[in-house]
Structure formats: C-alpha cells, structure tokens
Amino acid sequence: MNTKILVLGAGAIGGYFGGRLVEAGQDVTFLVRLNRKKQIEGNGGIVVINSVNGNYTFKPTLITKEEGDGNVEYDVVLLSSKSYHLQASIEDLKPFIGKNTLVIPLLNGIQHISILEQAFGRERVLGGLCVVETTLNDKGEIHQPSELNQLIFGQLDGGTTEKLNQLAQAFGSTKAKFTLSESITQDMWNKYLMITTMSSITTLMRTPLGTIRDSVGGLEFIESVFKETESIMRANGAPLSDGIVDRYMTLVKTISSQFKTSMQRDMEKGLEIEGDHIQGYILQLAKQHNISAPLLRCAYQNLCVYNEMLKARSNQ
C-alpha cells in the first residue's frame, strides 16, 4: 500500500523526519511557506541533513498552500509547527485534510490537542511527540548532532488500528526511530514534564545542560524543578509514569554536556519562543490547583522579559 504523507514545514523537525522518510523511499510532500520554498530553491532545490545518524541530501517535493490540489488526499499529516504558528498552520492545512486523513502533531506541550480536535475533528487527530535535538543553520541546512531522533505517535485513547499499523510499517524502515505507542497520552505528558523542566533551566541559565548539571548544587536544583512541575501535572490528573523524575534524572546525568533545548537555541537566535504554551500553561494549572511554583515562575518571568526585549528590538 502506498502511503501518502504530507509534512507541514521543511525546517529542523519536519525537514529531518520528512527527509528520513524520503530517504526510505516513502511518498512525501512538504507543505512550506513561500520564504522557505525560496530558500530551498536558492540552494539548488535540495535539503541537507547533517546528522550523527547519517548525512543525507535530497530534493523534496514542495508545495505552498496556494498550490494545493483538492483532489489529492493524504493518509497522514506530520504537523511540526511552533505553537505560536498553530492557528496559521491549521488554516494552511485545511485544504489538504480529507475524511480519512490522520494528523500527527509534533508540538511540545498538550494544550494544542483540543484546538486541533476542534479544527479537524476528534477522529482525525492522533497524539504525537518527538525527542530530537535538531536545528537549522544560516544556510537552511538541518543540523542534528545527537543520537536522539525519535518520533512517537498513537491513538489518544490508547490501543491501535489497522491503519495505524500500516503507518508504523511505512515509517519503520528509516534511520530515525518512528514508534507506534498504545499509551501516547502518557508519553506526551512525560515529555511535557521533561521539556518544561529542561527548557526552564537552560533558558534561565543561558548555558548548555552540562554546565548547570556540573555546578555546585546543580543536580539538586534540576531535580527540584522536575518535582515542582510534576506536582502540578499530577494535581491536574496527568497520567505521568511512576518514577518518571528518577528516570529523567538518570538521563540528565548521562546526556551530552553540550545538550541545548530548542527554546534555548531559539533565544540564542533572537527568535520567538513557546513560553506561554509550555511554562505559561503549566502555571495556569498551578493557579487552578492553588499550587505555589516559585521555580517555574522565575523561569517564566525570564521568558517574559526576553519577549519584551524582543518586541523592543523589533520596534526599533
């Protein structure tokens, strides 16, 4: 069976996982904004992946929202936009969503799921996440410096279907790790805990994880942020795995000392960040449950200050 795949975006996330699918011989089309299309065309029409998991250069099939063909129905859409582009991404995708199309969102956090269900119908929206360290360089090339390159997807209410098994088979022969999960909601909350904590500490300290970890009291500080975030999520009924903080602290002790979160990388480039979608939403939950969250509030205030500085620079 030929699986038609539409990837929203050809940037660090969409370009990487979509590129790995192209490399494996899958039928992949990239829905991109005009500026990204021009950048790729200016590079000879190719996308370059520089990765410790194997370099790859390919010529993607690109379309923009204006070039959509209503007669083409895609089996699955990989939605890899940032949260602050979510509404625009939904509008871009609407012409490409058929009655049998499944949408796999790869955004961080959890708040976007209800928004996507309202836009496309609950039956079309899967759960999804990726665990990957990747970024675009100044040339528009994808730089993927660590072995972390996993995409996980599944039904939000658990279980699986014949179509999902077919997708898993189509995804299964790539150099990236595509994993079909029967507990994707738990997986998403687990990752939300990790990304909230990791992005909070790395953006607050403006340094790679290893420097924080190896400082005096560093591990204790990181664990305290994990536990504060965990307490808020569990109060909200999040189905976090048992012992999840201990598991993540083991990861912290072994991960590359140069590891940076995507939010940290965005701040270093002077780009928009997802603070409201990640830390902001957790703090909303904390307020609902009357939980004090001083560490997360400190981290979020740092992000708010960054946003004000970003606005000031854009208005100059």
Side-chain angles (χ1 to χ4, degrees):
M1 172 184 170
N2 179 46
T3 301
K4 294 189 69 63
I5 303 166
L6 181 67
V7 179
L8 178 70
I13 301 294
Y16 180 74
F17 286 106
R20 290 305 188 198
L21 289 167
V22 173
E23 184 181 23
Q26 295 298 324
D27 183 355
V28 183
T29 300
F30 293 85
L31 175 60
V32 296
R33 298 291 175 88
L34 187 59
N35 286 343
R36 179 58 171 154
K37 185 179 182 184
K38 288 180 178 178
Q39 183 183 45
I40 293 172
E41 291 173 343
N43 290 332
I46 64 171
V47 171
V48 176
I49 296 175
N50 298 310
S51 170
V52 297
N53 300 292
N55 297 332
Y56 181 55
T57 299
F58 66 103
K59 191 170 186 177
T61 300
L62 302 174
I63 58 172
T64 63
K65 63 179 181 180
E66 293 80 11
E67 299 168 339
D69 183 351
N71 296 319
V72 177
E73 181 169 327
Y74 293 92
D75 296 294
V76 62
V77 171
L78 299 183
L79 198 171
S80 61
S81 75
K82 295 288 190 178
S83 61
Y84 43 78
H85 289 149
L86 180 58
Q87 290 297 339
S89 297
I90 288 171
E91 294 305 314
D92 290 349
L93 279 174
K94 280 182 177 179
F96 303 92
I97 303 296
K99 65 178 182 179
N100 296 313
T101 304
L102 295 176
V103 178
I104 301 177
L106 302 178
L107 290 78
N108 291 319
I110 207 82
Q111 192 178 18
H112 58 278
I113 292 296
S114 60
I115 298 172
L116 291 170
E117 288 179 337
Q118 184 175 3
F120 298 131
R122 189 172 185 179
E123 71 280 6
R124 295 184 182 88
V125 179
L126 300 176
L129 63 94
C130 57
V131 181
V132 63
E133 185 180 4
T134 182
T135 187
L136 286 183
N137 65 19
D138 294 339
K139 298 178 182 178
E141 298 173 344
I142 298 166
H143 181 56
Q144 201 270 314
S146 80
E147 294 181 357
L148 296 173
N149 72 144
Q150 185 178 25
L151 187 155
I152 307 172
F153 67 101
Q155 288 196 135
L156 288 163
D157 58 357
T160 188
T161 65
E162 181 179 352
K163 185 168 184 178
L164 284 186
N165 289 330
Q166 290 171 348
L167 285 180
Q169 185 174 5
F171 291 162
S173 58
T174 77
K175 290 182 179 178
K177 298 175 183 177
F178 286 80
T179 304
L180 174 58
S181 170
E182 294 190 25
S183 56
I184 190 64
T185 299
Q186 182 178 72
D187 297 333
M188 290 173 66
W189 276 102
N190 285 348
K191 189 204 172 176
Y192 193 10
L193 171 62
M194 179 182 72
I195 198 67
T196 301
T197 300
M198 296 288 212
S199 63
S200 292
I201 62 176
T202 56
T203 54
L204 184 62
M205 304 299 178
R206 309 289 176 100
T207 187
L209 179 66
T211 307
I212 306 166
R213 175 190 65 201
D214 299 336
S215 65
V216 176
L219 283 173
E220 291 81 1
F221 172 72
I222 294 169
E223 186 172 16
S224 65
V225 181
F226 266 122
K227 288 184 175 180
E228 183 175 283
T229 308
E230 179 193 30
S231 68
I232 298 166
M233 291 181 170
R234 290 199 185 279
N236 195 61
L240 293 167
S241 296
D242 293 337
I244 187 64
V245 171
D246 289 340
R247 196 169 91 198
Y248 281 149
M249 286 306 298
T250 298
L251 175 64
V252 166
K253 294 172 185 176
T254 57
I255 201 168
S256 167
S257 62
Q258 295 304 308
F259 174 81
K260 295 182 178 181
T261 60
S262 59
M263 189 182 294
Q264 179 185 4
R265 292 183 183 278
D266 287 342
M267 287 180 71
E268 291 173 347
K269 295 178 181 178
L271 301 176
E272 288 186 76
I273 56 174
E274 298 183 292
D276 289 337
H277 185 70
I278 304 299
Q279 286 81 4
Y281 183 64
I282 292 295
L283 288 173
Q284 288 179 32
L285 298 181
K287 185 176 181 180
Q288 291 175 19
H289 296 284
N290 296 313
I291 297 174
S292 176
L295 297 174
L296 283 179
R297 289 192 180 281
C298 181
Y300 181 61
Q301 195 62 43
N302 173 57
L303 301 177
C304 291
V305 171
Y306 169 82
N307 280 331
E308 290 302 315
M309 294 171 65
L310 199 63
K311 290 177 184 177
R313 284 200 298 268
S314 65
N315 291 330
Q316 288 180 350

